[in-house]
Amino acid sequence: MNSSLKGAVCGVTAAVAYGTNPLFSLNLYARGMDVESVLFYRFAIAALVLGAALLLSGHSLAVSRRQMATLVPAGLVFAISSQTLYQSFLYMDAGVACSILFIYPILVAVIMTLFFHERASLLTYGCIALATAGIAMLYQGDGSGALSTVGLLLVVASSLAYAVYIVGVDHSALRTVPSARMTFWVLASGAVLFFALTGFGLRLSPVGADAASVANVLGVALVPTIIPILFINIAIKNVGPTYSAIIGALEPVTALAIGAAVFGEHITGRIALGALMILVAVTLIVARPLLRRIPLRRRA
C-alpha cells in the first residue's frame, strides 16, 4: 500500500470512528447513565489505554512544569468541548449536533483573524455566511418544530471550545510536546474534571454488569477516542493535514447515518441541505492552501 492510499484509508477510518460518538453515548444514556459519568469513563479508560501503550512501547509520559501548566488548561477546554457536545445530545438529534459541531475550522479561522491578525479573504467571509445559512436550515428542524435553542447553543459552545483548544495548542509550549504524550495528559486532565463533577465518584453512574453496558463503555473510550487519535496521526504524516481535515467531513455524515439507522432520527431534505452547506463551507476553508497553489490561466 503506497503512502497516499495508506493516508486516505487511515483518514477515513479516523473520521468514521469519531462519528460513532452518538452510537455509544446515546445507548449509555438510555441505560440511565448521565453525561458526566459517560465522559469520565470515556476519558479515564482512553487515558489508561493510551498511557499503557506509550509506556509499553518505551515512550515517556514526562512533561516539564511549563508544559504541564499549559496542558491542564488545554485538557479542561477540551473536556468542556466534549461535555457541551454530549449534553446537546439530550436536546437535539445527535446527527444534527455533530453536523453543527463541524463548523470548528471556520471558528478557528475567525479566531485567527480577530486575535492573531491573520488576513481574512473573501472566501473566508463567504464560507462563514454559507455555514451560518446551513445552521439556520438545521435550526428549522425536521418539520415538526425548530431545534432546541439550548441544544444549538450547547453544540456551538462545543465547537467554539474545540476551536480555542486547537488555536491554543498551536500557539503555546505544547507545540513541542509529542502528540500522543500531549493527548494522554489532555485525556487525564479531562478524567479528573469529570470525576470531580460526579462528586468525586459519589454520583458516578455504575457500569451495568450486562455485556451491552460494558461494550458501550469500552466502545465510547476506544472507538471515537483512541482509534481517531492513532489513525489521524498516520493520515497527517502520509497525506498532510489539509487532506486529512477534508476527509474529516465524513464525521458528521457518519453521525447522521447512525442517528437515522440506529436511533430513528428523521433526516429531511432541509436537514440534509443544511448539513451539506456546512460541509461545503468547511471543506473550502480547509482547502484554502490547496486553492492558493492552483495556477490561474492567463487569458489569451
Side-chain angles (χ1 to χ4, degrees), residues 169-215:
V169 167
D170 193 51
H171 291 76
S172 70
L174 298 185
R175 293 189 68 178
T176 61
V177 181
S179 59
R181 190 184 309 175
M182 182 188 73
T183 302
F184 166 78
W185 286 109
V186 166
L187 291 172
S189 300
V192 172
L193 173 64
F194 292 121
F195 186 68
L197 291 177
T198 60
F200 295 95
L202 295 177
R203 296 191 301 274
L204 183 64
S205 301
V207 179
D210 59 295
S213 295
V214 174

Side-chain angles (χ1 to χ4, degrees), residues 3-15 104 162 166 179-180 182-183 227-248 251 286:
S3 60
S4 296
L5 180 57
K6 180 180 179 181
V9 170
C10 289
V12 169
T13 301
Y104 69 84
Y162 190 53
I166 291 173
S179 59
M182 182 188 73
T183 302
I227 290 177
I229 290 170
L230 296 176
F231 280 85
I232 196 62
N233 286 332
I234 298 173
I236 290 171
K237 289 179 181 178
N238 284 275
V239 297
T242 300
Y243 284 112
S244 298
I246 292 173
I247 294 171
E251 294 172 14
V286 172

Side-chain angles (χ1 to χ4, degrees), residues 87-262:
Q87 199 80 38
S88 73
F89 293 166
L90 301 175
Y91 295 91
M92 62 197 300
D93 286 351
V96 173
C98 289
S99 296
I100 298 173
L101 175 73
F102 199 61
I103 64 171
Y104 69 84
I106 293 177
L107 296 181
V108 168
V110 171
I111 292 172
M112 294 301 297
T113 299
L114 293 178
F115 298 101
F116 295 91
H117 309 295
E118 184 177 279
R119 189 174 179 180
S121 64
L122 289 176
L123 176 64
T124 300
Y125 291 121
C127 289
I128 292 171
L130 183 60
T132 302
I135 293 174
M137 296 287 285
L138 293 176
Y139 186 71
Q140 296 300 314
D142 58 6
S144 60
L147 295 180
S148 163
T149 301
V150 173
L152 178 62
L153 291 176
L154 282 168
V155 74
V156 170
S158 175
S159 187
L160 178 59
Y162 190 53
V164 170
Y165 169 80
I166 291 173
V167 174
V169 167
D170 193 51
H171 291 76
S172 70
L174 298 185
R175 293 189 68 178
T176 61
V177 181
S179 59
R181 190 184 309 175
M182 182 188 73
T183 302
F184 166 78
W185 286 109
V186 166
L187 291 172
S189 300
V192 172
L193 173 64
F194 292 121
F195 186 68
L197 291 177
T198 60
F200 295 95
L202 295 177
R203 296 191 301 274
L204 183 64
S205 301
V207 179
D210 59 295
S213 295
V214 174
N216 281 303
V217 166
L218 292 177
V220 78
L222 300 179
V223 181
T225 310
I226 294 295
I227 290 177
I229 290 170
L230 296 176
F231 280 85
I232 196 62
N233 286 332
I234 298 173
I236 290 171
K237 289 179 181 178
N238 284 275
V239 297
T242 300
Y243 284 112
S244 298
I246 292 173
I247 294 171
L250 287 173
E251 294 172 14
V253 173
T254 302
L256 279 170
I258 289 174
V262 179

Side-chain angles (χ1 to χ4, degrees), residues 19-109:
T20 62
N21 262 307
L23 177 62
F24 303 104
S25 58
L26 294 182
N27 279 327
L28 291 171
Y29 293 167
R31 294 174 182 275
M33 196 173 288
D34 59 43
V35 173
E36 288 76 19
S37 295
V38 171
L39 286 169
F40 169 74
Y41 291 123
R42 179 191 181 199
F43 276 64
I45 295 173
L48 288 172
V49 171
L50 182 58
L54 288 172
L55 291 174
L56 290 173
S57 60
H59 293 85
S60 172
L61 299 179
V63 293
S64 68
R65 290 184 179 180
R66 180 177 173 227
Q67 291 169 338
M68 183 61 77
T70 308
L71 272 168
V72 172
L76 296 180
V77 171
F78 186 83
I80 290 171
S81 176
S82 294
Q83 183 176 26
T84 46
L85 174 64
Y86 275 47
Q87 199 80 38
S88 73
F89 293 166
L90 301 175
Y91 295 91
M92 62 197 300
D93 286 351
V96 173
C98 289
S99 296
I100 298 173
L101 175 73
F102 199 61
I103 64 171
Y104 69 84
I106 293 177
L107 296 181
V108 168

